[in-house]
Amino acid sequence: MLYKNTALKFLLFSFLWVSTTALAHSPDFSSIIISKTENGQIVLQITSSLTAFQQEVNYVNGEGAYTSPEEFQDLVLQLFKSRFSLILNNNDTIKFKNLKVLLGHETKIITEITGITTEITSIHLKNKMFKDLHNSQTVVIFLLDGFPKEKFTLQRDNKHELSIILEDEDWIVPTAKSDHTSLKYLPYLITLIIGGLLLFLSKK
């Protein structure tokens, strides 16, 4: 069993290494990994290209907002604190400490996570750090016992948020209410009706 778990983690890390290396040149892609170190610390790692961090920092703060690597790192951390959150069991907001930004062609935010309870029944993760970038997509992977094993993708369609709950030992995405779906298309329907009416009157 230990061999199988070790092999699974090795395969997951190998996949992530290949993926992030291949996408290091693209600002549209990023990854989030939550894992546990050998000494028991739970760590969050957000990885993307340096270009992605630069574009978002410049978009939020304007060109010339920083003049040194240290100032840039501070702005990245401000972005993280205002646009990232992790809530477990609906009300347990996770805390972060020892925040660091590791600059490079592949830039990382690394922080220790505290406050995770033993039993997890729901997860809400929000990462809008790169929401202003065209076609921004973030792959989320949990490498912790009791968390889902599959990967998830945050993008514009789900507002860069992930909400899942544990039901009968399976992690599922709650079904959206049907009235929300129908109301979403109401403006288009009204426009179509008005357009048809104006076309009919013009022919009269």
Side-chain angles (χ1 to χ4, degrees):
M1 181 63 69
L2 178 61
Y3 171 79
K4 289 183 178 179
N5 290 338
T6 303
L8 177 61
K9 288 184 178 180
F10 174 77
L11 288 173
L12 284 170
F13 277 113
S14 298
F15 165 78
L16 289 169
W17 182 84
V18 172
S19 299
T20 52
T21 301
L23 298 174
H25 296 277
S26 174
D28 295 338
F29 293 91
S30 56
S31 66
I32 295 173
I33 306 172
I34 298 178
S35 59
K36 182 180 287 189
T37 64
E38 292 182 355
N39 59 7
Q41 289 181 324
I42 298 177
V43 176
L44 164 73
Q45 177 178 294
I46 301 177
T47 304
S48 191
S49 66
L50 177 60
T51 303
F53 285 98
Q54 288 174 327
Q55 288 183 2
E56 196 63 55
V57 166
N58 290 338
Y59 182 86
V60 174
N61 300 281
E63 296 285 345
Y66 58 91
T67 57
S68 67
E70 292 75 19
E71 290 178 354
F72 175 72
Q73 289 170 312
D74 288 340
L75 292 175
V76 169
L77 292 181
Q78 290 178 27
L79 204 62
F80 170 81
K81 292 174 182 178
S82 64
R83 293 191 174 187
F84 186 94
S85 66
L86 176 62
I87 300 174
L88 304 179
N89 300 337
N90 295 324
N91 55 13
D92 297 335
T93 302
I94 299 308
K95 305 297 182 182
F96 307 102
K97 69 176 186 178
N98 300 326
L99 274 162
K100 297 178 182 178
V101 178
L102 304 182
L103 297 178
H105 188 64
E106 184 181 276
T107 295
K108 304 175 185 291
I109 296 176
I110 298 178
T111 178
E112 184 181 348
I113 295 177
T114 62
I116 291 185
T117 56
T118 53
E119 269 191 52
I120 308 300
T121 57
S122 68
I123 301 171
H124 181 81
L125 187 150
K126 178 182 71 175
N127 178 44
K128 298 192 176 185
M129 289 196 62
F130 310 106
K131 71 181 182 68
D132 301 304
L133 301 182
H134 176 69
N135 198 32
S136 173
Q137 297 182 49
T138 303
V139 173
V140 181
I141 294 182
F142 302 98
L143 299 178
L144 294 174
D145 293 336
F147 281 71
K149 303 305 179 187
E150 63 267 34
K151 68 176 182 178
F152 302 91
T153 301
L154 308 183
Q155 53 193 347
R156 182 173 298 177
D157 290 346
N158 54 29
K159 299 180 180 179
H160 304 282
E161 298 184 34
L162 169 67
S163 289
I164 50 177
I165 59 175
L166 184 64
E167 283 190 3
D168 299 325
E169 299 183 355
D170 288 325
W171 287 96
I172 64 171
V173 178
T175 305
K177 294 182 180 180
S178 58
D179 57 343
H180 287 181
T181 303
S182 59
L183 288 175
K184 181 175 67 174
Y185 297 102
L186 185 59
Y188 301 100
L189 182 60
I190 293 173
T191 302
L192 183 62
I193 293 173
I194 294 176
L197 181 60
L198 290 175
L199 180 63
F200 173 77
L201 291 175
S202 66
K203 288 184 177 180
K204 295 285 285 185

